[in-house]
Amino acid sequence: MRKSLVLALLLSMILVVSGSVFAEKAEITIAGGSVGQELELTKEAAQMYMEEHPDVKVNVLDTPDLATDRLGLYLQFLEAESPKVDVYQVDVIWPGDLAEHFLDLYNYGAKDMVDDHFQAIVENNTVDGRLVAMPWFTDAGLLYYRQDLLDKYGYDVPQTWQEFERTAKAIQEGERAAGNQDFYGYVWQGDAYEGLTCNALEFIYSNGGGTIVSPDKKITINNEKAIEAIDMASDWVGYISPPGVTGLAEESARKIWEAGNAAFMRNWPYAYPLGNVEGSAIKGKYDVAPLPAGDSGKSAATLGGWNLAVSKYSEHPEVAADFALFMAGPKVQKLRAVKGSFNPTIKSLYQDEEVLEASPFFGSLYEVFTNAVARPSTATAPRYNEVSRLFFQAVHSVLTDEMEARTAIEYLELDLVDLLGYEIGEPRQP
Amino acid sequence: MSRESADLIKKTLFYLVLLVIVFYLLFPFYWAVNSSLKTEPQLSMTPATFVPRDPETGNLDFHFGNYKQVFSDAQFMRGLVNSTIVATCTTFLALLAGSFAAFALGKLRFKGKQPSLYIILAMTMFPQVTVLTGLYAVINTLNMGARLSMIITYLLFTLPFTTWVLTSFFSELPIEIMQSAQVDGATPFQTFRMILLPLTAPALVTTGLLSFIQAWNEYLFALTFTAIDVKARTVPVAIQLFSGEFARQEPFGAIMAAAVIVTIPIVVLVLVFQKKIVAGLTAGAVKG
Amino acid sequence: MSSGNLAREEQKLAYKLLIPAFLILITIAVYPLGQVFYTSFTDKTFATGREASFIGLENYKTLLSVTIKELPPVVDENTGEQKIGEDGQPVFERPIRVLPRRPELYRPVFEFSFFSNRFVVGAINPDFLTAVWNTIIFTVFSVFFETLIGLGIALVVNSEFKGRGAMRAVMLVPWAVITVVSARMWEWMFEPTRTGFFNMIFERMGVGDGNFSFLTTTELQLPSLIAVDVWKTTPFMALLILAGLQLIPNELYEAARVDGANKVKQFFSITLPLLKPSLAVALVFRTLDALRVFDIFQVLLSQKRYSMASYNYFQLIQARKMGLASAVGVIIFIVIFIFAVTYIKMLGVDTDE
């Protein structure tokens, strides 16, 4: 009796909702990337949706590319419980923190879709059993290397950090002796910001040092493997990396790399097409590989990327959710992969010929993308940003020689215990 | 040493000092101009070059692609209009309300003068980001449009500034001027309008200019208030939303080009107001 | 009309004239400012539905708690004497072993020696205290140099010469460059390789090897930022001072010249005293802006080193601790208030009769 009552109520609600939806043109707004081509592709996809659903109007809103600025803006909207934005493009580290503002997409038909997507991202976006965001495109840290220089000095693409250090040093010395005083072996992101968390997570996790906080909510950072990995990175500074690497972010590293002044670079896939533009000093001379492995014997790449979440303050939740699922679906993801080299989150697209033709390394690095390691954003929600800040500041203080790795990590552990109240545990192995 | 040669040395020294000042003020801006004429490969050259050069041959090699990109950015061009509207209105309101208040605070006797001064200053003593949330709530409640929101909220920092500066200038003026006007039968307000305002014209122009630029440069409020109303975006927001071809790519050259394009109208504005400043000065000289 | 009547009229007019300013103030300032004060006594989280509770002065306590502890010497077990480190200095216990952990974790801010004893200053929130320190150092130096250079430029421009009009436009350029962009521009000049202007020029002059990392080397961070701010805001000072200079009647100088006073004497007996009020106002607003400095810290140093306002920003946006961020705002407010009142009193430009 009660069941049927609930059912009837639900049905009538759906009727009312859909009734109001179809009565007039529903207008929804998606807030997302501002970047030229990215914005164009979003608009194109929105156009496709509107053609299929003539009763819906989709507005595309561009927001700052700088993640902090974008987050600040979103927070203002969410604090005001604003219905003005229906679909948010959210960073892979935000779902945990912002979960309370988003609808559970499982209630809107996402169940049938998620199996096609990368497991790691779906897990990352699932908070207390609710799917708060749909995977849209992914990112992972890659090792860019100069094929011509490896050939010149007779090295293979390094598989371990030890090999890597040796190779980088040898090439750096060779190039410097040949007259390029600005040449360095390795550029990466060592500035005190989220990018350092990504970089450090890679060398720590690949060395068997875990993920700061494990998925089962144990604080694992204070271990020998992690300290060893941080010490290794701090030795790079001024040795195979410029002293200023502690101030480098993605773009500043890419500039050194593209000027032909580095043998290796750690960066996201976006740098791949940019190095091949006309006038670039490294055009056609480089390729990408998985980052070297540490003591764990496995390489690690930090999971990046963006997802689509539907605001629970939306006036048209049904339409907004349907639109989000459409955007994250195979048709739009393929369009974005072919036209904009955005890494799809749908597994089958990595076998798609058109996609592979546009970005050949999608195929060879499939493993890197599927095995990318997530930052502990869901395990530490809603305090991930703070965890990350404490972490990158600790690592940065070691890189700049302000603190010993051991002391910095000890403090970090104390801070994390205070902040999260979790227990201390053993690191998870890849 | 003859008087003439002493004068000559003095003059040379003076212009030398002037040259140093001009160099100091303009060099970083020149570097922006230089960077705006470079392509991405040119920007990443080591060592950096004083003029755009070809990375291979080292010949002069200017590129105007960045300017093309900026001028074809509709949002940026609209931003110029929006910024002008917003900054002008804010400045006008700040000068109006500010000069009224400053006249009272600088020249009239009344109870509660000092508290008033401090209360007005207190408006601007919080960091912007702290008051942003509260302001956003106010704007949502009053349901103001984006442009109006910016005009009104920018008064938060322009009004205290104009009020305080003008107060100091008004109180500088000799009290006799007012008294003689009162003897002539002018009301205090007439004194204000006919005598004080023209006398302090240079101060008004300077204050107006400084607050105009402050409003013109504001970013954080503008970003938040125009987030939905895309058509109301101002120049700083438009520039921050500039983008490269790919995600994460920072179009540095285009940002520099935009900086150059935006700075020039302001310089022109000053050159135009120049006459006003001079006129205000001579007017003051005649009456004073 | 009796004089009492006249005074009453004047008072009435004054209040009327203040109406617009106060109307604006009530509309836009009262609620946000009041909200900041109120929130600073709660544990509100930004952008969450959870109810905030009133926690009194807890936020302020977290921000400002400081403790001093002595570091005991580390004793060598074999000799029974204090251990000597590799650098020849006596070894003391690490602060982490000495500073209290419960109920709150204290972290070291700095260490100092006193009569061969070693002490450590710890705080719950060392980042904030160093942010206060950074901001004050930044403010003192940048305002000092801006005033000095600004006064110099204003005096030069105030004399008669050809091209004075153009000069005034040139003066404005640094101030007119959009703040967020100018910070990026300087970041570019400070690049840690020879793509950056400073490394290129220093290397060319034989200083260093083109690898100065201006923004990550602790000793270079604040000087770099001060240099940027001095460049950017000297015009603001110069223009305000210039406007003040122009209000000084020429007759005064002529009279002084007749009396045989030289330029230097004229400057100290006429210019400076008469400039005091405009200088005071310029100083108040410069100091106020410098104490709230945000853009250049956010762009150039981001999370490496904070100013009070950038600390505030990251606490609000990243940590979403709105209560704590508001308390930071209130502390900034108080610091600025103290500075403002001090200036006004020191320069004796109180407008109250």
Side-chain angles (χ1 to χ4, degrees), chain B residues 110-151:
Chain B
F110 67 97
K111 273 194 207 103
K113 187 184 281 190
Q114 196 131 2
S116 309
L117 261 174
Y118 281 114
I119 289 175
I120 290 175
L121 188 67
M123 282 170 82
T124 185
M125 292 203 292
F126 276 123
Q128 280 193 334
V129 63
T130 338
V131 291
L132 180 58
T133 314
L135 268 182
Y136 194 55
V138 172
I139 280 162
N140 280 338
T141 319
L142 298 179
N143 209 3
M144 285 194 269
R147 284 189 204 89
L148 186 64
S149 313
M150 287 187 279
I151 292 171

Side-chain angles (χ1 to χ4, degrees), chain A residues 326-342:
Chain A
F326 169 80
M327 293 294 274
K331 206 160 133 196
V332 176
Q333 287 213 3
K334 182 172 171 180
L335 170 85
R336 296 170 61 89
V338 173
K339 283 199 179 169
S341 317
F342 287 99

Side-chain angles (χ1 to χ4, degrees), chain B:
Chain B
M1 199 166 20
S2 75
R3 211 197 145 91
E4 269 153 39
S5 65
D7 266 0
L8 195 71
I9 290 174
K10 248 188 187 164
K11 229 179 184 167
T12 323
L13 267 177
F14 178 82
Y15 276 99
L16 216 66
V17 171
L18 212 60
L19 205 71
V20 170
I21 295 175
V22 170
F23 180 80
Y24 173 68
L25 293 173
L26 285 190
F27 186 78
F29 187 69
Y30 167 73
W31 201 253
V33 176
N34 177 20
S35 305
S36 72
L37 294 168
K38 292 180 174 178
T39 61
E40 208 171 66
Q42 283 176 314
L43 280 171
S44 49
M45 271 165 75
T46 45
T49 52
F50 282 92
V51 281
R53 288 184 187 283
D54 188 282
E56 296 288 320
T57 58
N59 294 332
L60 288 185
D61 188 17
F62 296 88
H63 286 270
F64 295 93
N66 293 322
Y67 287 89
K68 231 180 263 163
Q69 189 192 332
V70 174
F71 279 118
S72 61
D73 187 318
Q75 182 151 292
F76 177 79
M77 299 313 278
R78 227 176 16 234
L80 280 176
V81 177
N82 286 326
S83 279
T84 313
I85 295 173
V86 170
T88 312
C89 292
T90 302
T91 308
F92 178 74
L93 285 177
L95 281 179
L96 197 72
S99 62
F100 282 3
F103 176 52
L105 293 164
K107 272 281 159 282
L108 299 178
R109 276 157 300 179
F110 67 97
K111 273 194 207 103
K113 187 184 281 190
Q114 196 131 2
S116 309
L117 261 174
Y118 281 114
I119 289 175
I120 290 175
L121 188 67
M123 282 170 82
T124 185
M125 292 203 292
F126 276 123
Q128 280 193 334
V129 63
T130 338
V131 291
L132 180 58
T133 314
L135 268 182
Y136 194 55
V138 172
I139 280 162
N140 280 338
T141 319
L142 298 179
N143 209 3
M144 285 194 269
R147 284 189 204 89
L148 186 64
S149 313
M150 287 187 279
I151 292 171
I152 301 289
T153 52
Y154 288 0
L155 288 170
L156 212 52
F157 50 89
T158 50
L159 179 63
F161 176 68
T162 51
T163 308
W164 271 64
V165 175
L166 293 176
T167 302
S168 90
F169 283 124
F170 285 164
S171 61
E172 272 288 85
L173 294 173
I175 194 90
E176 298 84 46
I177 297 180
M178 278 188 62
Q179 281 164 351
S180 66
Q182 265 167 10
V183 171
D184 291 345
T187 63
F189 193 75
Q190 278 170 335
T191 328
F192 169 65
R193 207 172 57 87
M194 311 292 286
I195 296 175
L196 284 186
L197 276 191
L199 265 181
T200 48
L204 274 175
V205 172
T206 307
T207 336
L209 218 79
L210 289 174
S211 29
F212 180 89
I213 293 174
Q214 239 171 345
W216 177 272
N217 285 353
E218 202 286 330
Y219 169 64
L220 195 61
F221 286 0
L223 174 68
T224 311
F225 300 156
T226 63
I228 298 291
D229 193 350
V230 179
K231 292 216 160 29
R233 283 181 179 161
T234 54
V235 169
V237 179
I239 295 184
Q240 279 301 75
L241 288 173
F242 268 0
S243 51
E245 197 182 342
F246 292 89
R248 292 183 198 267
Q249 184 195 12
E250 181 192 73
F252 189 78
I255 293 174
M256 290 300 107
V260 174
I261 296 170
V262 172
T263 310
I264 286 167
I266 298 212
V267 174
V268 172
L269 192 81
V270 180
L271 284 170
V272 170
F273 267 98
Q274 206 72 58
K275 281 190 189 129
K276 294 256 174 207
I277 300 176
V278 177
L281 268 179
T282 38
V286 172
K287 280 184 192 139

